Amino acid sequence: MKKHILVVPGDGIGQEVTAVGKKVLERIASKFGHEFTYDEALIGHAAIEATGNPLPEETLAKMKASDAVLFGAVGHPKYDNDPSAKVRPEQGLLKMRKELGLYANLRPIKLFDELLGASSIKPEILKGSDILFFRELTGDIYFGEKGRKNDGDTAYDLAEYSRFEVERIARKAFEAARTRRKKLCSVDKANVLETSRLWREVVQKIAPEYPDVEVEHQFVDAAAMMLIKDPRRFDVVVTANLFGDILTDEASQIAGSMGMLASASVGDSTGVYEPIHGSAHDITGKGVANPLASVLSAALLLDISFGLKEEADTIIAAVDQLLKDGFRTRDIADATTPADKILNTETAGQELLKRLG
């Protein structure tokens, strides 16, 4: 198979972890006889510094011309404490999602048994958890009208959804549930928000088309509580952009660390694959970032965009073996982890490549 992959490291540790993800893709291509070509492009703070634009036209063109995008992270502390900044790294991320039509964000929350102790949640509650989140990605409050009034003393952000937007993400979630445990939980706030009432109405309307899938509706606050209390009750979860952003970060505690969670943003064209962690500038340049989420994102890329399930499973098996062999990065290590088993970004990549053969 011949495919072209665009690597977009972005900001902070994104540059460090995508380097490992790319090496894994190169090893897989060699092992299975594929031909992957690569290019790189700028986004976020790095792009602003170089071009003044968080998503340069050159980057967008390269994205549209590629078969898949391996993405790092976007963000920089200098913007976090400057609400007046007109140009921000995250604007590049949102524009990318809109321009590529990336309306579905898939976030698998699957716990490796060896990491039961890495979470703050009791192992007996966690064991066996396996959740697939579908977060709608191009609507909601992130993309609605926003601004200030009353001399800047009042701010507003408009949350808006169309029936079409809800239906297309719901159908993807229903289809996925059919291939798993046939359970779908739709999360909203229909007791308060009109957008959520439309959301629930649409999900209820199309549910009879999937009679084999058990459907449950939960308010977002109840879902947030149940994720910690009883994560095994969930199979496939579908929710709106804002709720999904928060719930999936909460669910990282199930996996033990954000450094273990991959995601896929897909639509009708080029897919984007990235770890859910941010740019983490507090550890940038120290070489200690966990690259496994980027590696697992590479596995999603092979599976979803290229249909190479065996190759994807090979990567997942290598990660599993790395953990079984007792190796940990700093974020998932505990007091019992021997010093010679604690890996940095580079050595984690090296050990993983050994297990890929």
Side-chain angles (χ1 to χ4, degrees):
M1 179 178 286
K2 293 184 178 182
K3 294 291 183 181
H4 181 67
I5 300 169
L6 180 67
V7 181
V8 184
D11 303 323
I13 63 169
Q15 302 188 27
E16 301 166 41
V17 298
T18 51
V20 178
K22 181 183 176 184
K23 287 178 181 178
V24 167
L25 287 170
E26 289 172 337
R27 178 62 58 86
I28 288 291
S30 175
K31 182 181 179 71
F32 286 88
H34 302 303
E35 184 181 330
F36 297 159
T37 57
Y38 303 89
D39 197 359
E40 287 202 8
L42 296 171
I43 197 171
H45 170 69
I48 294 172
E49 292 292 293
T51 71
N53 185 345
L55 181 63
E57 288 301 318
E58 180 184 3
T59 297
L60 187 57
K62 286 183 176 182
M63 287 177 169
K64 291 179 177 179
S66 67
D67 294 305
V69 176
L70 183 66
F71 195 88
V74 159
H76 193 280
K78 71 175 284 187
Y79 305 92
D80 296 342
N81 296 314
D82 183 10
S84 65
K86 300 300 182 184
V87 179
R88 314 179 69 86
E90 293 78 11
Q91 291 169 345
L93 188 65
L94 296 177
K95 184 178 179 182
M96 175 189 75
R97 292 170 179 170
K98 185 66 83 173
E99 290 286 338
L100 296 181
L102 304 174
Y103 64 84
N105 181 240
L106 284 64
R107 295 191 177 187
I109 312 291
K110 187 172 176 64
L111 178 68
F112 290 92
D113 285 344
E114 288 70 31
L115 295 183
L116 277 170
S119 173
S120 58
I121 306 172
K122 294 177 181 178
E124 59 267 28
I125 293 175
L126 282 178
K127 191 172 177 62
S129 298
D130 183 1
I131 310 170
L132 178 58
F133 274 90
F134 279 78
R135 169 190 170 194
E136 201 288 324
L137 208 56
T138 57
D140 207 355
I141 203 165
Y142 292 179
F143 288 91
E145 181 185 349
K146 51 190 86 268
R148 298 279 186 104
K149 57 185 180 181
N150 299 332
D151 296 324
D153 291 335
T154 303
Y156 60 91
D157 297 275
L158 177 66
E160 189 171 24
Y161 266 118
S162 69
R163 189 175 299 273
F164 167 74
E165 288 173 318
V166 179
E167 182 172 337
R168 66 181 178 178
I169 186 74
R171 288 191 182 280
K172 277 193 175 290
F174 270 109
E175 294 293 341
R178 277 183 159 172
T179 68
R180 292 168 53 93
R181 288 186 285 136
K182 297 180 169 56
K183 293 176 62 179
L184 176 67
C185 179
S186 177
V187 176
D188 58 40
K189 192 62 176 170
N191 58 336
V192 175
L193 301 176
E194 193 62 35
T195 47
S196 281
R197 284 190 273 272
L198 173 66
W199 185 282
R200 185 171 294 205
E201 176 187 320
V202 171
V203 174
Q204 287 175 331
K205 184 176 180 181
I206 66 175
E209 299 178 31
Y210 303 88
D212 51 328
V213 177
E214 176 188 341
V215 182
E216 176 186 17
H217 298 274
Q218 280 195 8
F219 295 141
V220 63
D221 41 358
M225 181 269 292
M226 291 306 301
L227 267 176
I228 300 301
K229 183 180 180 182
D230 186 14
R232 286 176 296 191
R233 69 174 288 163
F234 295 102
D235 179 20
V236 176
V237 178
V238 62
T239 192
N241 204 345
L242 176 61
F243 299 155
D245 192 0
I246 297 167
L247 290 177
T248 52
D249 279 5
E250 179 194 6
S252 69
Q253 267 305 291
I254 296 171
S257 169
M258 282 190 180
M260 294 300 300
L261 292 182
S263 78
S265 298
V266 299
D268 300 319
S269 58
T270 307
V272 175
Y273 301 84
E274 61 180 305
I276 79 162
H277 60 67
S279 50
H281 281 269
D282 57 321
I283 59 171
T284 297
K286 297 180 179 179
V288 298
N290 183 347
L292 296 182
S294 183
V295 169
L296 293 169
S297 295
L300 281 178
L301 182 157
L302 294 173
D303 188 3
I304 296 174
S305 277
F306 298 171
L308 300 176
K309 182 167 177 52
E310 181 183 355
E311 288 84 338
D313 288 345
T314 298
I315 294 175
I316 296 169
V319 172
D320 190 35
Q321 190 59 54
L322 181 75
L323 298 173
K324 280 184 167 66
D325 292 340
F327 289 102
R328 303 287 187 270
T329 48
R330 190 180 68 171
D331 57 310
I332 53 175
D334 59 28
T336 67
T337 307
D340 63 347
K341 293 287 188 178
I342 298 179
L343 304 172
N344 59 35
T345 311
E346 183 179 2
T347 55
Q350 292 169 352
E351 291 295 335
L352 194 61
L353 290 175
K354 290 178 185 177
R355 286 152 183 81
L356 283 172

